[in-house]
Amino acid sequence: MTLLEIMKHRRSVRKYTGEKIDEDKLQQILAAALLAPSGRAARPWEFVVVKDREMLDRLSISREHGAEMLAGADCAVVVFGDENKTDVWTEDCCNAMAHMYLMASALGVGCCWIQGRLRKTADGAMTEDYIRGLLDVPSHYRLEAIMSLGIPAEQPQPYELDQLPWEKIHKETF
Ligand SMILES: Cc1cc2nc3c(=O)[nH]c(=O)nc-3n(C[C@H](O)[C@H](O)[C@H](O)COP(=O)(O)O)c2cc1C
């Protein structure tokens, strides 16, 4: 598949079969994260790979809504950025997330981006503080997002190029 085909097929998958992801595929997804571009090559990211079922359940309630799929995921990659290293840690971490999205899709692994930064739990606590406590993360590492991973139990339709909002592309001036 060309990169464009992979991009057309990349969809967020929130239902998983419960089967395990091949370790080799997980390594490729993590390699993709580490290969992402970052400002001044600062690579401010840290990735916590969580497979423990109880911990996945706890992460699934790290948001009031939007993280439920972690309870059925095989694995989560929690992405943190070092704010002491760079002021563009959010952009850098998002690049790593995007790389993981594409690599997972290319390998047939279902995944979904779960926003962590600026979000709250049902109790009104910051998701970041809740997760920092769970995973024992030092305070200068800021939560960006969580990638849920699992074998897809649903297959959202791929995108079609002629249905993209091409009006968003402006030529020469806005
Ligand atoms: C910055 C960002 C935050 C997102 N946060 C969540 C989230 O918290 N929970 C969720 O289920 N999906 C989340 N998503 C997935 C989007 O809902 C999804 O990408 C969008 O609906 C388009 O669908 P697609 O990924 O299948 O193309 C997020 C995606 C991005 C890029």
Side-chain angles (χ1 to χ4, degrees):
M1 243 199 258
T2 64
L3 184 54
L4 192 59
E5 283 297 314
I6 292 166
M7 287 173 165
K8 282 165 59 184
H9 283 82
R10 184 220 54 79
R11 296 297 314 272
S12 297
V13 173
R14 300 178 176 86
K15 290 197 171 72
Y16 312 108
T17 62
E19 293 161 281
K20 297 227 158 301
I21 302 167
D22 286 351
E23 198 49 41
D24 171 59
K25 289 186 176 177
L26 179 58
Q27 284 308 310
Q28 290 187 62
I29 293 165
L30 295 170
L34 293 170
L35 283 165
S38 62
R40 289 183 284 113
R43 302 186 180 97
W45 43 58
E46 303 286 332
F47 305 95
V48 181
V49 181
V50 176
K51 293 185 179 178
D52 179 76
R53 174 59 40 210
E54 203 174 303
M55 191 60 91
L56 288 169
D57 287 344
R58 288 188 190 165
L59 288 172
S60 76
I61 55 167
S62 63
R63 291 270 311 278
E64 185 173 9
H65 303 292
E68 300 83 357
M69 70 292 263
L70 284 168
D74 178 47
C75 170
V77 181
V78 191
V79 181
F80 298 91
D82 184 344
E83 68 175 357
N84 290 344
K85 256 192 186 159
T86 170
D87 58 359
V88 292
W89 63 270
T90 53
E91 289 86 345
D92 294 339
C93 288
C94 287
N95 285 336
M97 288 291 289
H99 267 211
M100 286 196 283
Y101 239 141
L102 287 173
M103 181 58 83
S105 301
L107 297 171
V109 173
C111 65
C112 188
W113 181 316
I114 298 162
Q115 183 66 21
R117 194 175 73 88
L118 306 178
R119 295 293 178 264
K120 290 185 175 172
T121 67
D123 296 341
M126 292 308 290
T127 298
E128 176 167 353
D129 296 334
Y130 173 81
I131 292 183
R132 179 172 289 120
L134 283 183
L135 302 180
D136 207 15
V137 180
S139 61
H140 63 286
Y141 290 105
R142 307 294 310 280
L143 175 66
E144 178 61 47
I146 307 172
M147 189 62 91
S148 65
L149 296 164
I151 304 300
E154 61 177 2
Q155 208 63 259
Q157 285 297 306
Y159 290 106
E160 296 295 338
L161 291 186
D162 60 6
Q163 286 167 19
L164 294 179
W166 290 99
E167 70 279 5
K168 300 240 176 225
I169 310 290
H170 307 271
K171 298 198 171 151
E172 311 302 344
T173 60
F174 192 93

